Amino acid sequence: MADPENAMGATTLRYAFGNVLSFFILLLIGVLAFSIRLFSVIKYESVIHEFDPYFNYRVTQFLTKNGIYDFWNWFDDRTWYPLGRVIGGTVYPGLTLTAGTLWWILNSLNVPLSVETVCVFTAPIFSAFASWATYLLTKEVKGAGAGLTAAALLAMVPSYISRSVAGSYDNEAVAIFALIFTFYLYIKTLNTGSLFYATLNALAYFYMVCSWGGYTFIINLIPMHVLLCIVTGRYSSRLYIAYAPFVVLGTLLAALVPVVGFNAVMTSEHFASFLVFIIIHVVAFVYYIKGILSPKMFKVAVMLVISVGLAVCCAVMAILIALVASSPTKGWSGRSLSLLDPTYASKYIPIIASVSEHQPPTWPSYFMDINVLAFLVPAGIIACFLPLSDASSFVVLYIVTSVYFSGVMVRLMLVLAPAACIMSGIALSEAFHVFTRSIKFQLPGLLGSSQVDSGDASSSTVVAQNDAGKVEKTEDTAKERPSKKNKKKEKEIVDKPSLKTKIEKRLLVLPLEASIFAILLLVLLGAFYVVHCVWAAAEAYSAPSIVLTSHSPDGGLHVFDDFREAYAWLSHNTEVDDKVASWWDYGYQTTAMANRTVIVDNNTWNNTHIATVGTAMSSPEKAAWEIFNSLDVKYVLVVFGGLVGYPSDDINKFLWMVRIGGGVFPHIKEPDYLRDGHYRIDSQATPTMLNCLMYKLSYYRFVETDGKGFDRVRRTEIGKKHFKLTHFEEVFTTHHWMVRIYKLKPPKNRIRGKAKKLKSKTSTTTSTKRSGANKRNPWH
Amino acid sequence: MEALLGARLTLALSIFAFLSLLTTSFSQQIQILNAERRIDLTSHIVKVFLTLKVENTGTAPANEVLLAFPPTQVDHLAVVKAKAATGRRKKRTYITLDVKPTELPDAPNGAKYFIISLLNPLNSGETATLEVLYMLTHSLEPFPAEISQSEPQLVYYHDSAIILSPYLIKQQTTFIKTPTSKVESFTRVEPTNRVSTELKYGPYEDRTPYSFSPIIVHFENNNPFAVVEELVREVEISHWGNLQITEHYKLVHAGARHKGVFSRVEYQSRPSHSGISSFKHLLARLPPRVHSVYYRDEIGNISSSHLRTDYRKSELEIEPRYPLFGGWKATFVIGYGLPLQDFLFESSDGKRYLNFSFGCPLAETVVDKLTIKVVLPEGSKDPSIVVPFPVEQHLETKYSYLDVVGRTVLVLEKKNVVPEHNSPFQVYYTFNQMFVLAEPLMLVSAFFFFFVACVAYLHIDLSIHKPSQHFAKF
């Protein structure tokens, strides 16, 4: 043992084993992350989920069929009729390009997987990558142990599972990986000061910009951290290398993405990074000057520069503020504004507020989505302060900001999840470290033998002996090649605590029984987390939402496949160029599954257009027919859950149609649809409500099913039971009545005698209303 | 309608006045003593059973008997089969005869012929009994062509009361069987007689060759008019023991077009009155020991299907996503695996052959265009094919899992296929068993080189700066 050569051999072997073990643990974590997301495929089928994924799938299909150049120039005329949409310039292409590339590689290897299969499994694959990226990030912050724990936690955190189950082919699926990986590269650059990693960081940021609008989180968080470091006097050349190339390269690359373009330098979301960019240069310059001047001269110089600099700064700031203030939204996009001011959307933009995932979360949803991590995070924050490094201050900042954002929008819980996992990983790993060390320290004394656990004991002493030599070696590792450096970095991290243990272990030893008990409790906590995650993955988040199932009392499974029934019917039994109007929720699915032109879809870029459809739905039949007819609509699709009790149907969304429609066309007034402030469809409902198109299309001949017209969602009998449609005819209703499709009747031939009568009639009764509607309707 | 009938009659009569002048020595050698025709109109595939008692009145022995069809029928003719009956009543046995389409130079008015080759030449004065079966598709014309949901489907059937034949027929009778007793109208060619679901035309005596008397039967037929416009069956042979079949269907309801409203409440509450001509499920008869069956379309799995298997057959009951009314279409895919040893055999000359069923597994459907693709394993050679009826064929190459040279694909195409075509066909090819191992070996070697590359990378130090002496040891 005293022989240094021999001891060195033993430790190397131990590290080798450690590395192999970590490798296999990581591999298993990847497998876990992938397989826990397959519940949806096993319980349901390999199918694309929900709404947005269908759009992404359609874009991917186009990409694989027509190639990348057509993709950039794609003008989609099957949506937003008659405006169309430039897909190539308005879509974040990261996900599509990723899946398209995967498909292309597989197909060039003659593995005939369909585009759909590749799309379905993209999200699980990238969650495995994300957990590996978490490992790397946490390892940079607090060592490999914390890294593995954090990776394992992330692999199954319910919040992330909800967005990345197989089939949930959405931007977030790859964006979370890109987010964590960008942060890792930033920390890595910060720890090493290597320009190589700084460049990689910019590339990872580019991928993030390609993938998700959430990239603004990165471009604000990193400057914040840089500012924090400068303010707390942690400025170093490493910080400069980590930040300056990132901003320059990152902004240039971001501007390459068509959907971002000049926004990368023009919108307020990015200004923080430029401001900090200036500040860091000033600070660097000051440090440089400080280095070459004597302290006295330096003071003089500071005085000079500050007086001149302040004047210039004030001028620049004034111009900047004037520029920004001149734009109506102060240069911020609606979604970003609603982040800063949570009440903004509900006041001004009903379209953003109408989306359930833009609502603030409730407390149970925190417990549902991050579970025990919520309790571990504070411990992790404390652990990050012992000692505070550049890296750990970054993760603290990350968790603090993401907690705020998640509190504003439930959707951003997704950004919180990795931070919570990292913090909890650190907390768990530190806790285990303390407890096992206490046990290890006391066990030999307890058994009266120093041979127990000799491997660990001996190596730790050996490490302690060699510490003096190693610490100086670790310093020159900074100049070495990255791959070698990884290994040594690890050693350094493992070594440092062991050095500390030598000094502090007398002080920080806990009683043996308490340690064992605490470890048991921690394991129990972990087990609870695992059980919860598996439950969430299997039960809560795996439903594809286009197929619904219910269990009959005798254990049988009943499948409600009405959406696809309707889409299949549309795609096979209507003309290719027919236009289908529906509320925007179903736009993406209609274009992707039925291949029919829609008026509005889930990309809610044109408020007026959506308001037109909302107005039509909330108007009486004739006015609605005119609006739809002016839009060339041939079929109207409504979703109705009243027969089987499907709660998220159009009647429940109807108030939003009224609000959005009324926001643009003031003759639609929300109070007209409410009886004493209550939304109801029973006999107490207002006549406006009972005569609007949505009510009629939903409940047409509904009373004939049970004789009473009992709506199982609203749990009431409907108000108006027997009525006829004059301008629409039912052409298809699905098996469970969940989707009803109506056709616009062709305009009637005018009969000479009658036409006159009709004209005089309408002019007396509804002329004011109709002319008002016509004037405001943009399609007249 | 009367006007239409009248026009047709005058046309036909004028044709046959002209035709009767044409006589050929060839056809006058034979006369038909007795002909009985039973036309089955119960489904949308028209089945006609024709029993002919043929006598050779000529001097030379006759080898062949001709069947004549009007040109409008020939396009819809899916199958013509003939059998010769031998023996007395009790011990009657049937021998299948060869039937071929043929062209005659002096065919009157575009009549098309099929030639039945007799096994033994029919000597002068001898008689023989022939049983002919032929099937017509798309021969029931919906009238009215568009119906609403509550109406039943009425169709026209056009034919001739007198069998079209190049020979003199001494006595003939035609029976037409309708699915129900609801017959709107029918042409009378006396003596004509109707008893519940059966119409009887005849007996007619001594009709000259090419006599023709058009009739129209207008009756109710609510049977599913299930027509597969296009069916592509891909049969992929894997020598690892599996036969994978994928069938792409393009289904259409070829009956009277649905018009106007589709009301679900009526369809669900009054199934006997509403949409009776529509259909919502189909039965596919699959081979026994079928496994991993799936039924889906381009937007995912279709959950409404049931599979029943026993040791003799498997039945897959499928429901399209929505009930099919007239003119409505649906597409879907059925796929299944079968054990290879049930279908792949080795012939005596060392070749392997696949013995598989032609045709469409769906019961009672017409396939307008059937394409069968037999994907042979990679590395198989000399493909050849034996099919009991004429098909178009060509070769393709397909690349599947990790293929390098590609797999040979035999493509067979046939139009107008009815369930009668579900007879086995054989594909012969030679295959070296070693090719089975090619792909696993490829994978093994790829991983091997990957690991070698990893090991090599870890052992090569590419850094320019030499690390300090102490660490160089490790």
Side-chain angles (χ1 to χ4, degrees), chain B residues 53-72:
Chain B
K53 201 170 180 191
V54 185
E55 186 188 24
N56 189 353
T57 54
T59 47
N63 286 322
E64 291 155 339
V65 177
L66 282 175
L67 292 173
F69 293 95
T72 47

Side-chain angles (χ1 to χ4, degrees), chain B residues 344-376:
Chain B
L344 195 77
F345 308 96
E346 204 156 336
S347 66
S348 49
D349 58 348
K351 276 191 158 188
R352 286 157 210 276
Y353 71 95
L354 173 83
N355 187 29
F356 200 71
S357 159
F358 201 88
C360 166
L362 291 184
E364 282 296 299
T365 50
V366 174
V367 182
D368 287 349
K369 189 183 173 205
L370 171 66
T371 310
I372 296 189
K373 296 182 174 180
V374 182
V375 184
L376 301 176

Side-chain angles (χ1 to χ4, degrees), chain A residues 107-121:
Chain A
N107 262 46
S108 48
L109 288 174
N110 280 334
V111 179
L113 287 183
S114 67
V115 179
E116 189 188 9
T117 316
V118 174
C119 291
V120 165
F121 292 102

Side-chain angles (χ1 to χ4, degrees), chain A residues 325-604:
Chain A
S326 64
S327 82
T329 57
K330 312 277 182 291
W332 293 79
S333 67
R335 271 184 200 150
S336 312
L337 264 184
S338 63
L339 278 183
L340 297 181
D341 173 11
T343 59
Y344 179 82
S346 52
K347 274 191 287 194
Y348 301 109
I349 320 171
I351 278 199
I352 291 182
S354 77
V355 181
S356 62
E357 61 184 24
H358 291 163
Q359 307 290 337
T362 52
W363 284 113
S365 69
Y366 274 98
F367 187 75
M368 176 71 201
D369 275 359
I370 56 174
N371 201 245
V372 302
L373 304 186
F375 312 121
L376 289 170
V377 164
I381 296 178
I382 292 170
C384 280
F385 279 100
L386 304 168
L388 189 70
S389 65
D390 291 348
S392 63
S393 68
F394 177 77
V395 289
V396 170
L397 195 66
Y398 177 23
I399 186 101
V400 170
T401 47
S402 61
V403 164
Y404 169 73
F405 286 132
S406 73
V408 178
M409 262 190 205
V410 68
R411 184 156 100 129
L412 294 179
M413 196 81 99
L414 196 58
V415 176
L416 170 68
C421 289
I422 291 165
M423 281 303 174
S424 312
I426 291 171
L428 275 182
S429 144
E430 289 289 310
F432 271 114
H433 186 72
V434 169
F435 295 137
T436 48
R437 199 185 56 217
S438 312
I439 295 170
K440 230 188 289 180
F441 188 72
Q442 290 175 32
L443 266 186
L446 206 70
L447 300 175
S449 151
S450 61
Q451 291 304 308
V452 182
D453 220 40
S454 60
D456 283 334
S458 65
S459 59
S460 69
T461 48
V462 170
V463 170
Q465 281 166 5
N466 289 328
D467 270 339
K470 276 198 179 166
V471 171
E472 69 178 18
K473 266 162 229 150
T474 50
E475 248 136 56
D476 59 25
T477 54
K479 294 162 206 155
E480 272 181 64
R481 231 164 50 93
S483 67
K484 301 268 167 184
K485 199 156 49 196
N486 270 353
K487 292 176 220 156
K488 276 152 205 171
K489 195 83 194 168
E490 230 165 80
K491 280 178 199 167
E492 177 194 18
I493 285 154
V494 178
D495 291 346
K496 271 185 182 163
S498 61
L499 172 67
K500 249 173 256 147
T501 49
K502 194 73 181 171
I503 304 157
E504 295 171 6
K505 62 183 164 188
R506 287 273 169 209
L507 303 170
L508 286 177
V509 164
L510 294 167
L512 183 67
E513 295 79 11
S515 311
I516 292 175
F517 187 64
I519 285 183
L520 278 178
L521 282 183
L522 280 182
V523 169
L524 212 64
L525 194 73
F528 179 70
Y529 176 72
V530 172
V531 169
H532 173 80
C533 290
V534 172
W535 173 82
E539 300 295 331
Y541 291 136
S542 61
S545 97
I546 57 160
V547 189
L548 310 166
T549 54
S550 73
H551 291 273
S552 56
D554 58 330
L557 193 70
H558 193 80
V559 181
F560 297 85
D561 204 355
D562 285 36
F563 288 107
R564 288 193 295 190
E565 182 182 345
Y567 294 134
W569 184 85
L570 273 177
S571 88
H572 289 121
N573 300 308
T574 58
E575 295 296 316
V576 176
D577 288 326
D578 284 348
K579 280 87 192 166
V580 180
S582 65
W583 190 231
W584 59 262
D585 294 26
Y586 312 103
Y588 278 165
Q589 291 186 348
T590 311
T591 43
M593 283 199 264
N595 190 23
R596 290 295 172 269
T597 310
V598 295
I599 306 299
V600 290
D601 69 21
N602 309 44
N603 178 269
T604 51

Side-chain angles (χ1 to χ4, degrees), chain A residues 672-735:
Chain A
D672 291 347
Y673 297 85
L674 302 175
R675 173 74 74 194
D676 305 328
H678 293 287
Y679 177 60
R680 51 201 307 171
I681 46 104
D682 55 7
S683 48
Q684 298 295 307
T686 59
T688 322
M689 178 69 215
L690 295 181
N691 283 314
C692 73
L693 184 71
M694 181 50 75
Y695 179 89
K696 284 195 166 179
L697 296 191
S698 290
Y699 293 112
Y700 179 61
R701 301 189 77 176
F702 177 58
V703 70
E704 291 172 47
T705 51
D706 58 354
K708 290 184 299 183
F710 184 78
D711 185 321
R712 295 197 192 175
V713 177
R714 267 65 61 177
R715 307 205 155 277
T716 170
E717 275 184 34
I718 58 172
K720 195 173 170 186
K721 292 175 182 172
H722 302 277
F723 55 87
K724 284 207 167 86
L725 292 174
T726 47
H727 296 87
F728 294 85
E729 63 180 5
E730 183 186 11
V731 285
F732 190 72
T733 297
T734 57
H735 188 246

Side-chain angles (χ1 to χ4, degrees), chain A residues 5 8 45 110 116 473 481 559 561 564-565 568-569 572-573 701 730-735 737, chain B residues 261-264 266 268 296 299-301 321-322 328-329 331 399-403 470-471 473:
Chain A
E5 295 277 310
M8 212 54 141
E45 54 179 288
N110 280 334
E116 189 188 9
K473 266 162 229 150
R481 231 164 50 93
V559 181
D561 204 355
R564 288 193 295 190
E565 182 182 345
W569 184 85
H572 289 121
N573 300 308
R701 301 189 77 176
E730 183 186 11
V731 285
F732 190 72
T733 297
T734 57
H735 188 246
W737 289 56
Chain B
V261 171
F262 166 69
S263 168
R264 178 68 72 169
E266 269 172 26
Q268 278 172 339
R296 55 168 293 153
I299 55 175
N301 180 46
R321 287 194 186 275
Y322 39 87
W328 288 11
K329 292 178 183 178
T331 59
Y399 294 90
S400 184
Y401 293 96
L402 300 173
D403 284 349
H470 201 75
F471 275 88
K473 281 177 195 169

Side-chain angles (χ1 to χ4, degrees), chain B residues 15 18 48 119 126 128 173 193 253 307 337 358 364 394 397 416:
Chain B
I15 292 169
F18 165 71
V48 182
L119 277 181
E126 274 185 346
T173 330
N193 187 3
H253 186 300
L307 179 69
F358 201 88
E364 282 296 299
H394 62 272
T397 307
N416 215 0

